[in-house]
Amino acid sequence: MKIVVDDKIPYIQEKLSLLADELVAIGGSEISATDVRDADALIVRTRTHCDESLLAGSKVRFVATATIGFDHIDVDYLQRAGITWINCPGCNAGSVAQYVESSLLLLQQEKGLTLSHATIGIVGCGHVGSKVKAVAERLGMRVLICDPPLEQKNANSKQPTANSFVSMDMIELQADVITFHVPLTKEGEYATWHMADEAFFHRLSHAPYIINTSRGGVVDNQALLSALHDGRVRDAVIDVWEREPDVNPELLQRVFIGTPHIAGYSADGKTNADNMVIDALCRYFHLPHPGKIAPPSLPTDFHYTGNPLELYNPMEDSRALKTTPSNFEYLRNHYPLRREHFEI
């Protein structure tokens, strides 16, 4: 059995080597049709476009992406080709929630936003959005949730829900912070591509802060830049960008926090994804399970007093990217150890 894996997926190769007769680790953006021609399984992240040009004529019958998002996978082609695929929904939800919590604390600390008197609008309340909701409530914020697909699903199932949904109009009118947690879709009733476009920014009533940790195309980057210049948006926290890794340099320097698509990059989130991939791989190929992967511990000299910013401060990632924007991919691929929790 041959497995090709993105060489920047951390912690996973030792376990995969116990399952594969041949394990080939390659940079995600460099994986080619030649590399996968005789492979049985392909394990990737967002930088590998899994489509006909990569997979046609190959032996690959199983594709896994160690990510929540899967807009880099041509689902229609894989279905036609009889290739099974999986993503890892919810794997890094806690990591993204940590990123948002730290960003909100920095907005309070550096920008004067009083969280206990502020309203947050959460657009998308799935795995990530629901954890962000819990964070915002813990910080004393008033929470508004807009998620039409989930609202419709709940209504159709007639099951009780803890969420009360509002329209996007209400979020545009009342929110002091608007944070996006939706997949990137370009078609259908609930398409999310450029949902925050020029018209959206013109509808905002009192210059909110914008946070985007979902996908770059959800927010029209040029429209956001114009809104920042015009004062229609007070400031922004942006982790995902259009045309990554070639981010808009003016927007990067203008936002309060700008990071290289690492909101979900805690060691906890990464090992969650690894374990979901290995579980699915073993089920599909009927392989004996090699055991769970645990995230590394923090250094023994780490001291934690209870301030979440001690565990993770996104301003450090922002400074690194703003100093050298061309290092976008390097910063992602050489990300330091980050834990969501302090373990004694």
Side-chain angles (χ1 to χ4, degrees):
M1 179 180 182
K2 178 178 178 179
I3 300 174
V4 174
V5 61
D6 182 325
D7 66 0
K8 298 304 187 296
I9 299 176
Y11 318 128
I12 199 172
Q13 289 189 40
E14 180 180 354
K15 297 295 186 184
L16 290 179
S17 67
L18 300 175
L19 300 172
D21 300 301
E22 181 181 0
L23 178 65
V24 179
I26 309 173
S29 60
E30 300 166 4
I31 295 174
S32 70
T34 300
D35 297 318
V36 303
R37 182 170 297 130
D38 60 346
D40 300 285
L42 174 63
I43 302 173
V44 301
R45 299 186 305 165
T46 57
R47 292 301 186 254
T48 306
H49 295 282
C50 299
D51 53 17
E52 185 171 6
S53 64
L54 178 67
L55 297 168
S58 76
K59 288 176 54 184
V60 172
R61 285 297 170 263
F62 178 87
V63 172
T65 180
T67 59
I68 292 178
F70 55 90
D71 45 285
H72 55 293
I73 293 180
D74 186 338
V75 174
D76 292 337
Y77 169 72
L78 266 63
Q79 184 174 6
R80 292 197 307 272
I83 300 173
T84 296
W85 70 276
I86 64 114
N87 64 322
C88 298
C91 63
N92 60 4
S95 179
V96 178
Q98 179 189 45
Y99 178 98
V100 173
E101 178 179 23
S102 294
S103 297
L104 290 170
L105 292 172
L106 287 168
L107 286 172
Q108 179 167 257
Q109 179 177 298
E110 304 292 335
K111 295 291 184 177
L113 175 67
T114 304
L115 297 176
S116 60
H117 296 160
T119 296
I120 186 170
I122 299 174
V123 184
C125 197
H127 291 288
V128 177
S130 59
K131 287 188 178 291
V132 171
K133 175 178 180 283
V135 163
E137 290 173 340
R138 187 169 66 246
L139 294 172
M141 303 182 77
R142 175 179 174 239
V143 177
L144 302 176
I145 298 171
C146 178
D147 192 328
L150 181 59
E151 182 178 13
Q152 184 179 62
K153 179 181 178 181
N154 289 348
N156 291 340
S157 67
K158 298 181 180 179
Q159 294 294 319
T161 175
N163 294 327
S164 296
F165 298 96
V166 303
S167 68
M168 198 67 184
D169 292 344
M170 184 174 291
I171 285 180
E172 293 165 357
L173 182 66
Q174 298 186 14
D176 302 294
V177 179
I178 301 176
T179 181
F180 294 93
H181 303 287
V182 296
L184 180 63
T185 56
K186 294 188 176 183
E187 299 177 351
E189 183 180 0
Y190 303 118
T192 61
W193 185 78
H194 280 193
M195 68 183 308
D197 58 7
E198 186 175 355
F200 164 84
F201 291 116
H202 277 288
R203 291 193 300 266
L204 299 176
S205 64
H206 56 290
Y209 296 96
I210 298 293
I211 301 176
N212 188 19
T213 57
S214 56
R215 283 291 183 264
V218 170
V219 174
D220 183 330
N221 284 196
Q222 190 58 49
L224 172 60
L225 181 60
S226 297
L228 286 164
H229 285 321
D230 296 345
R232 287 176 277 123
V233 168
R234 198 173 307 273
D235 219 320
V237 175
I238 303 297
D239 180 58
V240 289
W241 311 78
E242 294 192 276
R243 293 174 292 279
E244 292 179 11
D246 300 318
V247 304
N248 182 318
E250 186 179 356
L251 179 60
L252 172 61
Q253 298 304 327
R254 176 61 183 80
V255 298
F256 175 50
I257 296 173
T259 50
H261 200 153
I262 47 71
Y265 266 35
S266 72
D268 307 73
K270 291 176 179 179
T271 53
N272 286 341
D274 290 348
N275 287 321
M276 293 170 77
V277 167
I278 290 171
D279 289 348
L281 184 73
C282 290
R283 283 195 306 270
Y284 183 81
F285 289 103
H286 306 290
L287 300 171
H289 201 288
K292 293 290 186 183
I293 300 171
S297 299
L298 289 166
T300 55
D301 60 352
F302 178 81
H303 299 289
Y304 183 53
T305 66
N307 181 352
L309 291 173
E310 294 171 347
L311 276 176
Y312 177 58
N313 188 332
M315 196 60 77
E316 297 172 7
D317 290 325
S318 182
R319 280 193 288 266
L321 182 60
K322 289 186 177 186
T323 299
T324 314
S326 61
N327 275 358
F328 191 102
E329 290 293 80
Y330 179 87
L331 294 169
R332 280 170 54 89
N333 294 334
H334 298 84
Y335 196 67
L337 175 63
R338 168 181 149 207
R339 292 298 309 273
E340 296 171 28
H341 311 286
F342 176 62
E343 299 175 349
I344 298 175

